[in-house]
Amino acid sequence: MSLVGALPFLKPRLSPSVSPGRQRRHTLPASEFRPLNTQDAISVFEIEKEAFISVSGDCPLHLDEVRHFLMLCPELSMGWFEEGRLVAFIIGSQWDQDRLTLDALTLHKPKGSTVHIHVLAVHRTFRQQGKGPILMWRYLQYLRCLPYVRRAVLMCEDFLVPFYQKSGFKVQGRCSITVASLTFTEMQYPVRGHALMRRNSEAIGFPQTSVLLLEEPIQRSETALLLEEQTQRTEPEPADV
């Protein structure tokens, strides 16, 4: 029998040190959560622009503002990457007053104990999969690892209030900020306790002392959020996340 004729009958040989199961794992989409940087700014803005302009007519952050916050406080951002592609993100900055004012849209107050969440958005291809609530849960757990953070605040349109309430945010009242004809509700989340930590967290890209549980599979509390989202699709989410 020629070598060519024998080829169909040859079985592929596996390396003795690598099991078939471990080989298959490498074919699965790899998820990574890490702080954003200025090199991510264009990808961030493209997702944000597509998500918000069709709904609200404007973006929470313009491209120069995205770069501004990612330069000043990248540690208060979180990006969800799958196979190297940004699929969802949150950008925050520090604030030092009880309520949000117009300055909160553009300023970072390093001595503040409040994190102002400017934007949460999910790429259109990955929406309606529960990624928004999961990312918010991870972000809030991460904030618990930062000793200077006492609470998180955000402002949103009224129809998004139920979405953020599911993540534990409470209504503070009407926000003093208006954008054109849009008005907002201000919400807050008290940051208490300590987040669950994982070993070798530096591999994810966050400091060892300030990393939440970032490993897969999705944790039980995240799974509950995902199941809840799947059973309540009729309720709106920010940017259809």
Side-chain angles (χ1 to χ4, degrees):
M1 179 181 294
S2 68
L3 178 60
V4 174
L7 285 177
F9 300 97
L10 295 178
K11 295 182 179 180
R13 297 182 62 185
L14 298 176
S15 171
S17 61
V18 180
S19 67
R22 187 176 295 275
Q23 280 195 336
R24 286 194 297 271
R25 182 178 178 81
H26 290 300
T27 65
L28 299 174
S31 290
E32 178 190 18
F33 296 81
R34 65 165 173 82
L36 299 166
N37 57 57
T38 53
Q39 294 181 338
D40 301 311
I42 292 178
S43 296
V44 165
F45 185 63
E46 288 299 320
I47 294 174
E48 183 191 18
K49 183 172 61 174
E50 188 278 331
F52 284 93
I53 287 185
S54 61
V55 177
S56 303
D58 200 2
C59 293
L61 297 175
H62 294 164
L63 181 57
D64 57 338
E65 295 167 331
V66 170
R67 290 195 174 109
H68 171 72
F69 286 118
L70 294 186
M71 185 178 298
L72 289 178
C73 47
E75 72 282 359
L76 295 179
S77 67
M78 181 177 287
W80 185 341
F81 294 80
E82 290 195 353
E83 296 185 323
R85 179 187 185 185
L86 181 65
V87 302
F89 68 88
I90 290 175
I91 294 178
S93 65
Q94 281 173 257
W95 183 240
D96 61 356
Q97 298 181 30
D98 290 336
R99 299 296 295 269
L100 295 174
T101 68
L102 199 59
D103 285 343
L105 301 183
T106 56
L107 297 183
H108 169 59
K109 298 286 190 175
K111 295 183 179 180
S113 61
T114 295
V115 170
H116 172 207
I117 299 175
H118 293 272
V119 57
L120 159 65
V122 178
H123 191 285
R124 63 180 180 274
T125 306
F126 297 89
R127 292 177 196 156
Q128 300 300 323
Q129 299 177 22
K131 282 184 164 54
I134 291 172
L135 182 61
M136 178 61 79
W137 182 86
R138 291 179 179 236
Y139 185 76
L140 294 174
Q141 291 296 308
Y142 168 64
L143 293 185
R144 291 184 179 186
C145 301
L146 304 179
Y148 55 85
V149 176
R150 295 292 176 267
R151 66 182 186 132
V153 299
L154 57 81
M155 62 184 212
C156 66
E157 295 181 69
D158 291 348
F159 73 95
L160 290 173
V161 168
F163 171 84
Y164 287 112
Q165 285 176 325
K166 289 180 182 179
S167 293
F169 283 84
K170 305 296 183 184
V171 173
Q172 265 196 301
R174 301 305 301 172
C175 185
S176 64
I177 301 171
T178 59
V179 178
S181 61
L182 295 177
T183 60
F184 304 94
T185 297
E186 192 168 329
M187 306 186 74
Q188 70 169 347
Y189 177 93
V191 177
R192 302 190 185 97
H194 300 282
L196 296 172
M197 308 294 288
R198 57 159 291 181
R199 291 182 177 179
N200 302 322
S201 54
E202 66 276 6
I204 303 298
F206 288 89
Q208 177 73 35
T209 56
S210 57
V211 181
L212 61 159
L213 267 170
L214 294 177
E215 57 197 355
E216 293 185 306
I218 293 173
Q219 303 302 314
R220 182 178 301 176
S221 55
E222 294 175 291
T223 305
L225 283 169
L226 180 58
L227 291 174
E228 186 176 9
E229 289 300 313
Q230 290 175 338
T231 57
Q232 299 186 20
R233 290 301 186 195
T234 57
E235 294 191 11
E237 299 178 2
D240 294 325
V241 303

